[in-house]
């Protein structure tokens, strides 16, 4: 696994975790921010052929 793939997967995992915590806390603003970040990371991964697990 190259550095880009490893980095993007790590960022996706971190963002998914942050999104989960925001949802649990009922923090609507942070949910929106984290979801947008996750969407962007998943798009970037797909554009570069990086396989990502199931969505949160």
């Amino acid at each position: 696994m190259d550095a880009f793939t490893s980095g993007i997967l790590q960022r996706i995992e971190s963002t998914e975790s942050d999104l989960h915590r925001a949802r649990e806390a009922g923090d609507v603003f942070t949910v929106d921010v984290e979801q947008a970040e996750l969407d962007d990371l998943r798009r970037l991964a797909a554009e570069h052929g990086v396989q990502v697990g199931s969505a949160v």
Side-chain angles (χ1 to χ4, degrees), residues 1-12 45 48-51:
M1 181 178 307
D2 64 23
F4 175 81
T5 300
S6 178
I8 195 92
L9 292 174
Q10 183 176 21
R11 287 182 62 197
I12 288 171
H48 291 276
V50 176
Q51 295 286 356

Side-chain angles (χ1 to χ4, degrees), residues 5-56:
T5 300
S6 178
I8 195 92
L9 292 174
Q10 183 176 21
R11 287 182 62 197
I12 288 171
E13 183 178 331
S14 176
T15 302
E16 288 174 338
S17 179
D18 292 345
L19 176 59
H20 179 74
R21 280 193 300 274
R23 284 180 175 156
E24 284 185 338
D27 184 345
V28 176
F29 175 76
T30 302
V31 167
D32 288 345
V33 170
E34 296 299 338
Q35 185 63 60
E37 177 71 9
L38 185 57
D39 292 346
D40 286 344
L41 290 169
R42 287 181 175 276
R43 178 191 49 75
L44 184 61
E47 287 175 358
H48 291 276
V50 176
Q51 295 286 356
V52 178
S54 63
V56 172

